[in-house]
């Protein structure tokens, strides 16, 4: 029996060339010392594989039609066997892919692996990043709940800032002049067929380049890249000291990918995908569209930019950013590779990471968003020995929207300044002027408030002590 | 078309076939491009079909005039001009109708002029507020606060036989020059 199997195996290999197929992996030499820093790219690829598998699984359960997509998502989430887990893994796989891609990019930049002769790897990498982001965004829309629908609107609006052809691109994305029955289908086709096809081609080419040019050797201070001699030097170094990619290097990729899988499975199982909000309905304006975490910092940017320059930033920002990324290997394709000798590279990366993290932090708090659900002021605060006017002021503070943006004690929005102690900062007249005239980020209430309402509000705001608890006797 | 190649030396053979090879290369690349173009054409038309569908607009009844108080703002919904059969609920959009005077109406788009999120009408405050980035508008639709570069968009609106009718329009897209 063993003999027969052996013979069968031999036949298959002779006619099928399986060991020949794998041979490049075994004979491909990589520089020694390529340690744990080299696992980010393969882990990103591994996430892509997870996405393909879970994506195919989801496509067996999902109905890409505007009228029933939401129902099918609820079926996936609540009824299908392992459906919630598959959706969770697809969601976290996307997060993992975006995160690991970012790490891969930072690693390549810090170690200057984009320099000669690997410029093309960097350029295809930038394209891959763009497509990954498009995939992440279109995927978020397929979660066709109220959030997803409004995200499609926001995407179209951003495209609208492109000069001249902006409207056409916006309506092209939506599949017509408004969101409609065709919109979801388009995003489905893009997310499932169009962009994956481009993604696979580019990934294949990206990997081909890794084999063709070899992975970059760990940098050493003072060992400069010289395009005239580098290739010969690299070849000689490989012949002398190189180790086979399989298994000397790939085992780390395997171990790290397994770790990634464990983390993603745990997240998928215990945290799961974001809960579905209300059904898609453009006539339900009580929506609060928020992007997934990887876009939260852009979301924050949109709220914080001076509005006079915003349209220009939305268009020129990605344009300049993209051009800069493509230009990197041309701006410096030789010389020092060690991060210790390229302090500006480290400073630049740190600056970008810090900026994004700050925007993230503030994007999660979203202080600019009115707190529509703030607990009514009269429920938790009172002024001791309040006059009737002050009592009314407390009431108006709720009803005319002050509380959405201003905090009193523990509740309220944080768009404007907290007003618990405003009587110490401003005089009665100053408060009146501000309420009546508004400011850059506060509407003028002059037209909306009657004289009595204004007077009551100010009396309440001028009260020394606003911390009184609501009397229990009532 | 076998040639008697073995009797010729390499150089002769190359010069003889060079012209032929370059011709065959051109033919192959040409055919390849043609096939690509032929296949790309239906792909592109399919992608453009919903976009290039005949643009229609329609006057939609959104309510009885008597149901709208003077000086008040009310949300209405209406069906898109040419929905597909499978559009379901998503074929409906919303607008705010404000009856300013007896027969003077304004229909505001619910889409914030900043990035299109749905603004909410706050009756007591007489303000439209956007949940996304804090855009605020006065009752007449002008910008009051926050990032929007302009006021709310409006739809054409008319009164016909005591019915309020609204003319559907494309989703308003804010451009760089707005």
């Amino acid at each position: 029996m063993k003999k027969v199997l052996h013979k069968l195996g031999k036949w298959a290999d002779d006619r099928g060339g399986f060991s020949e197929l794998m041979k490049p992996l075994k004979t491909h030499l990589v520089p020694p010392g390529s340690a744990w820093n080299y696992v980010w790219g393969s882990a990103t690829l591994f996430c892509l594989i997870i996405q393909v598998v879970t994506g195919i699984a989801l496509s067996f359960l999902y109905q890409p039609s505007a009228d029933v997509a939401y129902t099918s998502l609820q079926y996936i989430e609540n009824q299908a066997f392992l459906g919630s887990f598959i959706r969770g893994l697809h969601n976290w796989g996307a997060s993992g892919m975006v995160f690991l891609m970012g790490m891969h990019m930072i690693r390549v930049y810090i170690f200057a692996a984009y320099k000669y002769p690997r410029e093309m790897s960097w350029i295809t990498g930038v394209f891959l990043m763009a497509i990954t982001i498009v995939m992440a965004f279109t995927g978020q829309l397929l979660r066709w709940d109220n959030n997803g629908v409004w995200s499609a609107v926001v995407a179209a609006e951003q495209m609208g800032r492109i000069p001249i052809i902006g409207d056409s691109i916006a309506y092209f994305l939506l599949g017509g002049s408004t969101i409609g029955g065709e919109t979801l289908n388009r995003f489905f086709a893009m997310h499932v067929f169009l962009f994956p096809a481009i993604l696979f081609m580019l990934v294949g080419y990206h990997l081909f380049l890794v084999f063709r040019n070899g992975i970059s050797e760990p940098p050493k201070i003072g060992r400069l890249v010289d395009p005239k001699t580098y290739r010969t030097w690299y070849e000689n170094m490989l012949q002398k000291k190189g180790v086979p990619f399989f298994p000397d290097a790939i085992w780390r990729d395997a171990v790290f990918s397994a770790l990634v899988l464990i983390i993603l499975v745990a997240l998928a199982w215990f945290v799961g995908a974001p809960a579905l909000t209300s059904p898609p309905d453009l006539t339900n304006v009580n929506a609060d569209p928020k992007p997934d975490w990887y876009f939260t910092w852009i979301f924050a940017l949109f709220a914080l930019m001076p509005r006079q320059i915003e349209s220009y930033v939305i268009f020129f920002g990605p344009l300049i950013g993209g051009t800069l990324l493509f230009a990197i290997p041309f701006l410096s394709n030789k010389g020092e590779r060690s991060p210790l000798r390229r302090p500006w590279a480290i400073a630049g990366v740190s600056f970008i990471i810090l900026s994004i993290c700050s925007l993230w932090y503030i994007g999660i708090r979203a202080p600019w968003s009115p707190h529509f659900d703030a607990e009514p002021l009269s429920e938790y605060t009172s002024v001791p020995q309040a006059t009737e006017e002050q009592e009314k002021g407390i009431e108006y503070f709720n009803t005319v929207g002050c509380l959405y943006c201003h905090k009193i004690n523990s509740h309220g929005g944080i768009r404007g300044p907290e007003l618990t102690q405003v009587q110490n900062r401003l005089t009665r007249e100053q408060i009146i002027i501000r309420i009546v005239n508004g400011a850059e980020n506060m509407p003028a209430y002059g037209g909306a408030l009657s004289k009595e309402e204004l007077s009551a509000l100010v009396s309440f705001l001028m009260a020394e002590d606003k911390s009184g608890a609501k009397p229990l006797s009532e | 078309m076998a040639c008697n190649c073995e009797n010729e030396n390499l150089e002769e053979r190359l010069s003889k076939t060079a012209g032929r090879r370059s011709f065959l290369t051109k033919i192959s690349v040409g055919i390849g491009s043609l096939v690509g173009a032929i296949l790309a054409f239906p792909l592109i038309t399919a992608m453009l079909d919903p976009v290039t569908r005949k643009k229609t607009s329609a006057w939609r009844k959104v309510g009885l005039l008597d149901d709208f108080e003077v000086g008040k703002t009310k949300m209405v919904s209406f069906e898109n001009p040419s929905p597909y059969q499978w559009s379901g609920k998503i074929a409906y959009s919303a607008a705010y109708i404000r009856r300013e005077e007896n027969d003077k109406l304004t229909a505001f788009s619910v889409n914030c002029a900043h990035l299109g999120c749905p603004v909410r009408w706050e009756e007591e405050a007489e303000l439209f507020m956007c949940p996304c980035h804090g855009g605020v508008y006065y009752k007449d639709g002008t910008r009051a606060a926050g990032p929007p570069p302009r006021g709310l968009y409006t739809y054409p609106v008319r009164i016909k036989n005591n019915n309020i009718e609204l003319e559907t329009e494309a989703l308003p897209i804010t451009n760089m020059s707005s």
Side-chain angles (χ1 to χ4, degrees):
Chain A
M1 183 68 194
K2 212 175 153 191
K3 244 184 173 171
V4 176
L5 275 180
H6 187 72
K7 254 184 129 174
L8 262 178
K10 255 193 121 164
W11 181 89
D13 199 37
D14 181 65
R15 309 298 201 281
F18 294 111
S19 19
E20 236 169 282
L21 203 63
M22 301 312 284
K23 210 174 155 194
L25 283 179
K26 280 193 191 166
T27 51
H28 181 73
L29 295 177
V30 295
S34 40
W36 289 102
N37 251 323
Y38 284 67
V39 298
W40 303 108
S42 67
T44 311
L45 179 64
F46 176 66
C47 281
L48 175 61
I49 295 170
I50 295 181
Q51 291 311 85
V52 171
V53 175
T54 52
I56 294 175
L58 282 175
S59 75
F60 272 86
L61 302 167
Y62 181 71
Q63 308 294 328
S65 175
D67 51 347
V68 292
Y70 183 79
T71 327
S72 76
L73 273 162
Q74 280 192 319
Y75 172 77
I76 291 172
E77 198 58 32
N78 302 321
Q79 279 165 280
F81 177 68
L82 283 184
S84 170
F85 170 73
I86 297 170
R87 195 178 151 243
L89 192 55
H90 198 65
N91 172 75
W92 286 106
S95 292
M97 194 167 157
V98 171
F99 174 76
L100 292 165
M101 180 189 69
M103 295 302 291
H104 178 48
M105 192 172 188
I106 290 171
R107 205 285 299 171
V108 165
Y109 181 71
I110 292 264
F111 283 10
Y114 58 83
K115 291 194 176 182
Y116 181 93
R118 300 183 183 85
E119 294 97 326
M120 251 337 219
S121 295
W122 176 268
I123 290 169
T124 49
V126 175
F127 275 117
L128 282 169
M129 179 183 78
I131 294 176
T132 305
I133 291 172
V134 168
M135 287 297 284
F137 191 74
T138 50
Q140 197 189 317
L141 291 179
L142 297 187
R143 201 187 300 148
W144 197 239
D145 54 6
N146 221 7
N147 213 329
V149 173
W150 287 106
S151 301
V153 176
V154 173
E157 290 285 345
Q158 285 173 46
M159 294 300 148
R161 299 306 209 279
I162 300 172
I164 305 165
I165 52 167
D167 283 9
S168 309
I169 295 185
Y171 297 137
F172 174 79
L173 265 189
L174 298 181
S177 52
T178 58
I179 292 260
E182 56 278 41
T183 312
L184 174 66
N185 238 57
R186 298 178 79 68
F187 282 107
F188 182 77
M190 287 189 234
H191 183 81
V192 176
F193 299 111
L194 184 63
F195 287 111
I198 303 172
L199 191 64
F200 295 154
M201 281 194 286
L202 275 172
V203 166
Y205 183 58
H206 198 70
L207 288 176
F208 162 75
L209 287 174
V210 172
F211 271 85
R212 178 175 182 263
N213 295 324
I215 60 169
S216 63
E217 73 285 356
K220 207 166 111 185
I221 293 177
R223 190 169 65 202
L224 307 184
V225 174
D226 180 358
K228 284 198 198 87
T229 57
Y230 180 81
R231 277 211 156 110
T232 326
W233 173 83
Y234 186 78
E235 271 314 308
N236 289 339
M237 182 267 297
L238 278 193
Q239 294 311 324
K240 264 187 242 146
K241 293 189 275 182
V243 294
F245 173 65
F246 183 95
D248 289 44
I250 204 173
W251 72 271
R252 285 199 181 84
D253 297 306
V255 169
F256 188 69
S257 289
L259 188 69
V260 168
L261 182 67
I262 291 171
I263 293 173
L264 292 179
V265 164
L267 283 167
W269 190 264
F270 294 110
V271 184
L276 299 167
T277 64
S278 51
D281 182 0
L282 292 168
T283 63
N284 172 10
V285 296
N286 287 327
D288 187 5
K290 289 251 160 63
D292 280 354
W293 67 267
Y294 27 83
F295 298 119
T296 304
W297 62 279
I298 302 178
F299 167 76
L301 204 57
F302 286 152
L304 296 174
M305 250 183 295
R307 67 195 186 90
Q308 289 81 0
I309 61 162
E310 181 170 34
S311 284
Y312 299 97
V313 177
I314 293 179
F315 173 63
F316 287 108
L319 197 67
I320 295 171
T323 312
L324 267 180
L325 280 178
F326 281 121
I328 279 178
F330 301 104
L331 293 175
S332 72
N333 79 328
K334 55 175 187 267
E336 186 61 71
R337 275 190 52 214
S338 168
L340 298 172
R341 287 283 167 82
R342 296 166 55 247
W344 283 107
I346 299 199
V349 169
S350 313
F351 173 73
I352 290 172
I353 293 177
L354 272 179
S355 309
I356 290 180
C357 287
S358 318
L359 283 168
W360 244 325
Y361 170 73
I362 201 153
I364 290 163
R365 285 177 73 229
W368 50 81
S369 288
H371 288 204
F372 292 112
D373 53 356
E375 196 174 327
L377 187 62
S378 47
E379 296 286 314
Y380 66 92
T381 203
S382 69
V383 173
Q385 280 105 44
T387 62
E388 203 179 316
E389 196 179 37
Q390 283 172 327
E391 292 282 5
K392 271 189 188 159
I394 294 178
E395 201 49 49
Y396 293 140
F397 198 87
N398 282 328
T399 53
V400 302
C402 308
L403 193 65
Y404 293 162
C405 297
H406 294 282
K407 213 169 155 180
I408 296 262
N409 297 327
S410 51
H411 292 273
I414 45 177
R415 176 59 158 145
E418 182 179 341
L419 297 178
T420 317
Q421 300 294 335
V422 67
Q423 74 280 3
N424 300 332
R425 298 198 301 268
L426 299 173
T427 65
R428 201 184 161 82
E429 285 67 38
Q430 285 171 322
I431 294 178
I432 292 176
I433 289 172
R434 177 48 54 92
I435 294 177
V436 171
N437 296 331
E440 167 63 19
N441 282 319
M442 171 171 168
Y445 273 89
L449 292 176
S450 70
K451 228 174 172 178
E452 296 87 279
E453 287 169 326
L454 181 63
S455 161
L457 263 176
V458 178
S459 304
F460 161 61
L461 287 173
M462 288 306 288
E464 277 303 317
D465 182 4
K466 303 186 188 69
S467 60
K470 171 101 179 151
L472 289 169
S473 55
E474 283 173 44
Chain B
M1 287 289 286
C3 69
N4 195 13
C5 299
E6 280 163 43
N7 297 335
E8 298 175 53
N9 66 34
L10 184 70
E11 216 162 294
E12 262 176 71
R13 233 161 63 208
L14 277 180
S15 69
K16 217 172 157 186
T17 50
R20 182 182 145 83
R21 288 244 164 83
S22 115
F23 174 71
L24 291 180
T25 309
K26 278 180 196 148
I27 287 267
S28 306
V29 171
I31 292 177
S33 317
L34 189 69
V35 167
I38 291 173
L39 290 179
F41 187 70
L43 172 65
I44 292 168
T45 54
M47 284 164 89
L48 289 176
D49 175 75
V51 189
T52 51
R53 263 206 319 171
K54 213 170 144 235
K55 295 272 179 309
T56 48
S57 74
W59 285 94
R60 299 277 190 214
K61 282 181 195 159
V62 292
L64 289 170
L65 184 63
D66 298 341
D67 295 338
F68 292 77
E69 270 180 71
V70 175
K72 287 270 158 75
T73 300
K74 202 170 146 185
M75 201 183 91
V76 297
S77 67
F78 56 91
E79 199 180 9
N80 294 342
S82 47
Y84 294 93
Q85 275 182 335
W86 59 86
S87 295
K89 196 117 205 265
I90 210 69
Y92 289 84
S93 298
Y96 289 107
I97 303 267
R98 174 170 182 77
R99 190 171 180 185
E100 285 167 70
E101 287 159 31
N102 208 13
D103 51 0
K104 191 167 173 250
L105 300 161
T106 314
F108 296 109
S109 158
V110 295
N111 299 103
C112 181
H114 179 222
L115 286 172
C117 290
V119 297
R120 304 183 196 189
W121 170 244
E122 290 295 322
E123 178 87 47
E124 299 294 325
E126 300 198 314
L127 296 169
F128 295 99
M129 291 188 175
C130 180
C132 285
H133 303 98
V136 185
Y137 306 83
Y138 293 116
K139 60 185 173 185
D140 64 353
T142 52
R143 173 192 170 269
R150 49 159 290 158
L152 288 174
Y153 291 90
T154 56
Y155 293 98
V157 64
R158 69 182 181 195
I159 303 166
K160 210 174 177 186
N161 305 330
N162 201 36
N163 278 311
I164 297 181
E165 294 187 350
L166 173 151
E167 190 179 19
T168 60
E169 283 201 334
L171 178 80
I173 302 282
T174 299
N175 299 122
M176 195 183 270
S177 50
S178 302

